[in-house]
Amino acid sequence: MNRKDILALVQDDRVHRDLYLSPALFALEQRHFFANTWNYVGHASQVPAAGDYVAVEIAGRPLLMVRQGDGSIRVLNNRCAHKGTQLVTDACGSVGKFFRCPYHAWTYKLDGAPLAVPLKAGYEGTRLASCESGQGMGALKNVAVYRDFVFAKLNDGGPDFHAYFGDVLAAIDNLVDRSPVGRLRIEGGVLRNVVHCNWKMYLENINDTVHPMSTHESATAAANALWQGQPADAPKPMAMEQILPFGAGYDFFDRMGGRVYPNGHSMLGVNFSIHSGYAQVPEYEAALREAHGEARATEILQRSPQNSVCFPSLAVKGSPQAIRVIRPLAADRTLVEAWSFRVEGAPDLLFERSMTYNRLVFSPMSVVAHDDVHLFESIQQGLRGSSNEWVSLHRDFDPAELEGGTREVNGTNELLMRNQFRAWATFMTQDMEG
Amino acid sequence: MMDAVSFVAHEARLLDERRYDEWLALFADDGRYWVPLQGAAQQEGAPHNALADEDRLLLQLRIERLKNPRAHSQHPASRCQHVLQASTVTLDEPERCELRTPFVYIESRGERQLMLAGTCSHRLARVGGAWRIRLKRVDLLDAGAPLPAIQLFP
């Protein structure tokens, strides 16, 4: 498949089913698309001390996010330069002052540089020092830490970090600035889901405001029935406060508004969202005004976008403070992780909200997610059938949008998805011949 | 009155037979169903998340949803089977009882079958001459691993 073949799969208002189904295309995505884009690696709070590491896989490559002796963070290949053993096989931990391969005891500094090998004399006069195997684990060159969010890009070409994300970084600011001291900590564990669907299906659904009414009908109907008859001023349990808004109508979702940015990023709910109605916490809000000033504090608190997508691996919720990380495993298998944040300087209530929301909506046991997951898996099967090889993205298509740039539209506009696929085509083919 | 060990077996049987309303009635008013994310390693009260942590209100929401024909993920319906090891009574008082029951849980739907292993702990209280659940804690071996949808009640 060459550049031309791939570009033909993404039309202005629809995409070809191969984007979801084809294992060959997935292999090309691993080599090109995921290597050309900036992907979320992890959060700095996961590696507080020198030698702490977190193992991740991006574009099919095993990587380690490692805290250095000088406090900086590097991303290294989790591969011994000798035979290829992974230097660590736990999901996270600490290696202390250096890496030591369990197989033949080759050692590396925390930045991946070679430290020592046994039987050193045996390498004298060989080509080891001058070839790849003598260069250590290899640190990724393109790593950026933005307000403790760590991103990496495997290939060298393409836009640098700030040019790539541009103004969507405001979504991360909105999240981090909810802390009067500007600091978040990953806490409370991670909910991990394996969904038998293509990763793009999950990612586009994050911007799909038209599905809740029909997809989540059973969950919201049950919630409404149970809550019915409560007096209007009855204090809502947190779970009800979080589940009931899923039943909001088409009009609500349309008016919440959406914004697209260059390179596939988006912010949904630029006006308001299903998270806007959470109970206020006066003391905390006062602390935020003290820290950020009246104008900025008001802006943060009044803006609770539904979902902001830092394409293609991260979806952010400013309130509740939660992120989803999308890790493709195969053409038809995706790992979705939901992480909670503790907001430093904010009351425990915010942390409770973060954990409760993730548990209610993104847990493998979530009654909301059950219907999403079922439908994604159903699409993965359904697409194989029929003579229709295309997936429709026509809603509110406007030829003017092809100019690109940052654009604000109605909340049910499928531009937020079309924008993802246009970026997919760009970064998929960026380093392809022809 | 049903003895505590029989009660635990009865509770699992109600789930396996999809008698969810009867199952919910086994919970005390302040009853809780909890599947901690760290499994047996998680301390009660620690600030850590769970796969599920539900009071009667949320359990009822789950059960009412399952009755709705538009619970899309229930086409086809999920079925489950609890295979219980003998329960060990860890607290035996006239008004309170605690038991520990290792299990294998199978949830089946369409062509896919999911198997989970773990241990559940029941904290029971005597209410009006019958045992009621104050806490059913389900410690899964793999609670923190990447998991597919678990739609019923391990």
Side-chain angles (χ1 to χ4, degrees):
Chain A
M1 222 177 298
N2 63 25
R3 184 188 170 84
K4 217 177 106 201
D5 299 329
I6 285 167
L7 293 177
L9 300 174
V10 178
Q11 298 186 349
D12 290 349
D13 48 13
R14 58 180 196 166
V15 293
H16 194 269
R17 66 180 177 189
D18 282 358
L19 264 74
Y20 306 88
L21 299 183
S22 164
L25 213 50
F26 183 78
L28 288 174
E29 282 179 338
Q30 294 286 54
R31 217 166 82 213
H32 299 281
F33 175 79
F34 289 108
N36 289 333
T37 47
W38 285 89
N39 286 275
Y40 177 72
V41 181
H43 192 262
S45 65
Q46 294 173 271
V47 287
D52 287 352
Y53 68 85
V54 167
V56 292
E57 199 172 294
I58 294 174
R61 297 172 217 188
L63 300 170
L64 296 172
M65 173 173 87
V66 186
R67 181 72 74 169
Q68 304 295 298
D70 67 1
S72 65
I73 287 175
R74 284 181 190 261
V75 180
L76 313 177
N77 294 298
N78 186 9
R79 179 208 196 278
C80 181
H82 183 206
K83 302 273 189 185
T85 319
Q86 293 187 95
L87 274 312
V88 296
T89 46
D90 284 326
C92 60
S94 172
V95 294
K97 290 191 172 4
F98 59 90
F99 289 94
R100 179 178 185 272
C101 180
Y103 197 10
H104 303 100
W106 285 32
T107 54
Y108 304 90
K109 296 180 191 168
L110 293 181
D111 65 2
L115 194 56
V117 298
L119 304 173
K120 200 173 165 196
Y123 292 102
E124 276 168 24
T126 73
R127 295 194 298 154
L128 177 76
S130 61
C131 81
E132 290 91 334
S133 303
Q135 309 305 309
M137 297 161 67
L140 299 196
K141 224 159 63 183
N142 304 299
V143 175
V145 184
Y146 183 79
R147 306 202 69 178
D148 283 349
F149 286 71
V150 182
F151 293 85
K153 181 163 65 74
L154 294 159
N155 282 353
D156 280 340
D160 68 22
F161 175 79
H162 281 278
Y164 178 81
F165 284 115
D167 292 337
V168 80
L169 292 176
I172 293 177
D173 294 334
N174 179 291
L175 173 55
V176 180
D177 287 344
R178 283 169 193 269
S179 162
V181 294
R183 244 191 336 267
L184 306 175
R185 285 199 315 273
I186 289 274
E187 272 190 40
V190 53
L191 292 153
R192 292 196 163 98
N193 302 266
V194 179
V195 188
H196 291 259
C197 76
N198 187 272
W199 63 274
K200 294 184 235 33
M201 213 180 284
Y202 192 94
L203 197 63
E204 70 186 88
N205 182 72
I206 291 175
N207 279 328
D208 189 312
T209 47
V210 180
H211 82 285
M213 284 68 77
S214 39
T215 299
H216 300 305
E217 184 182 338
S218 63
T220 53
N224 278 319
L226 288 176
W227 196 244
Q228 229 173 29
Q230 294 284 337
D233 58 348
K236 257 187 213 153
M238 188 182 288
M240 284 291 155
E241 188 178 68
Q242 294 184 333
I243 287 181
L244 286 170
F246 275 84
Y250 293 123
D251 180 58
F252 176 90
F253 285 108
D254 198 50
R255 284 186 293 115
M256 72 164 56
R259 190 184 298 140
V260 294
Y261 304 92
N263 302 327
H265 317 302
S266 58
M267 193 180 283
L268 176 67
V270 289
N271 304 319
F272 53 83
S273 77
I274 62 168
H275 308 306
S276 302
Y278 297 167
Q280 292 176 318
V281 190
E283 245 170 71
Y284 158 65
E285 296 185 3
L288 218 53
R289 291 201 164 83
E290 179 81 12
H292 299 317
E294 181 71 33
R296 176 63 180 150
T298 302
E299 193 191 334
I300 295 162
L301 291 167
Q302 287 186 348
R303 200 153 294 195
S304 304
Q306 180 112 347
N307 287 305
S308 301
V309 173
C310 298
F311 185 76
S313 59
L314 180 69
V316 176
K317 283 182 187 290
S319 167
Q321 297 71 37
I323 54 170
R324 271 175 291 173
V325 181
I326 291 92
R327 302 282 189 214
L329 301 173
D332 61 356
R333 218 150 40 87
T334 303
L335 171 65
V336 179
E337 300 176 335
W339 298 84
S340 301
F341 285 109
R342 191 186 279 282
V343 178
E344 286 194 27
D348 286 349
L349 176 73
L350 268 71
F351 181 52
E352 283 299 320
R353 269 183 193 159
S354 173
M355 285 202 295
T356 301
Y357 192 87
N358 276 342
R359 184 171 67 244
L360 289 173
V361 184
F362 302 138
S363 162
M365 292 187 73
S366 158
V367 295
V368 178
H370 286 158
D371 287 318
D372 282 322
V373 167
H374 163 71
L375 292 169
F376 302 156
E377 297 183 347
S378 166
I379 295 168
Q380 196 71 31
Q381 299 309 315
L383 278 176
R384 293 184 297 145
S386 91
S387 55
N388 178 3
E389 297 185 2
W390 295 88
V391 173
S392 163
L393 297 166
H394 296 88
R395 196 184 313 117
D396 294 320
F397 172 72
D398 171 2
E401 74 190 37
L402 295 172
E403 290 162 21
T406 299
R407 255 166 211 279
E408 210 150 300
V409 295
N410 53 315
T412 60
N413 195 314
E414 283 179 330
L415 172 58
L416 279 72
M417 301 174 206
R418 293 190 289 274
N419 189 54
Q420 293 178 347
F421 287 102
R422 286 168 197 158
W424 179 85
T426 301
F427 292 105
M428 185 75 167
T429 57
Q430 179 183 283
D431 58 338
M432 281 185 187
E433 304 285 320
Chain B
M1 184 172 121
M2 199 184 287
D3 67 84
V5 171
S6 306
F7 178 92
V8 167
H10 174 66
E11 188 252 333
R13 181 176 169 177
L14 290 180
L15 287 173
D16 293 349
E17 294 179 355
R18 298 196 242 177
R19 293 156 65 185
Y20 299 122
D21 289 322
E22 289 171 71
W23 177 73
L24 185 61
L26 298 183
F27 281 78
D29 289 344
D30 64 349
R32 176 187 182 201
Y33 172 81
W34 182 38
V35 189
L37 193 49
Q38 293 174 314
Q42 194 158 327
Q43 298 283 324
E44 213 171 323
H48 206 87
N49 217 339
L51 291 176
D53 189 353
E54 313 213 327
D55 57 9
R56 284 193 66 126
L57 183 71
L58 283 176
L59 289 175
Q60 189 159 9
L61 192 157
R62 223 174 246 283
I63 289 166
E64 293 308 316
R65 173 184 169 270
L66 287 172
K67 295 175 187 166
N68 190 328
R70 288 187 177 167
H72 310 297
S73 71
Q74 285 302 296
H75 298 279
S78 303
R79 295 157 298 127
C80 73
Q81 175 74 57
H82 291 77
V83 182
L84 304 182
Q85 195 171 311
S87 300
T88 309
V89 177
T90 53
L91 177 81
D92 190 5
E93 292 178 0
E95 300 302 316
R96 297 188 304 157
C97 185
E98 294 185 10
L99 305 93
R100 194 177 170 280
T101 313
F103 67 87
V104 169
Y105 171 83
I106 293 146
E107 191 175 294
S108 201
R109 180 175 170 259
E111 292 170 2
R112 238 180 238 147
Q113 197 181 66
L114 162 71
M115 185 157 76
L116 300 166
T119 298
C120 59
S121 304
H122 287 78
R123 188 178 296 163
L124 306 180
R126 194 191 288 269
V127 179
W131 290 116
R132 288 288 171 264
I133 301 169
R134 295 203 61 209
L135 173 67
K136 181 179 180 183
R137 171 181 175 149
V138 182
D139 292 326
L140 296 177
L141 200 56
D142 293 319
L147 289 167
I150 304 168
Q151 299 206 42
L152 299 178
F153 302 89

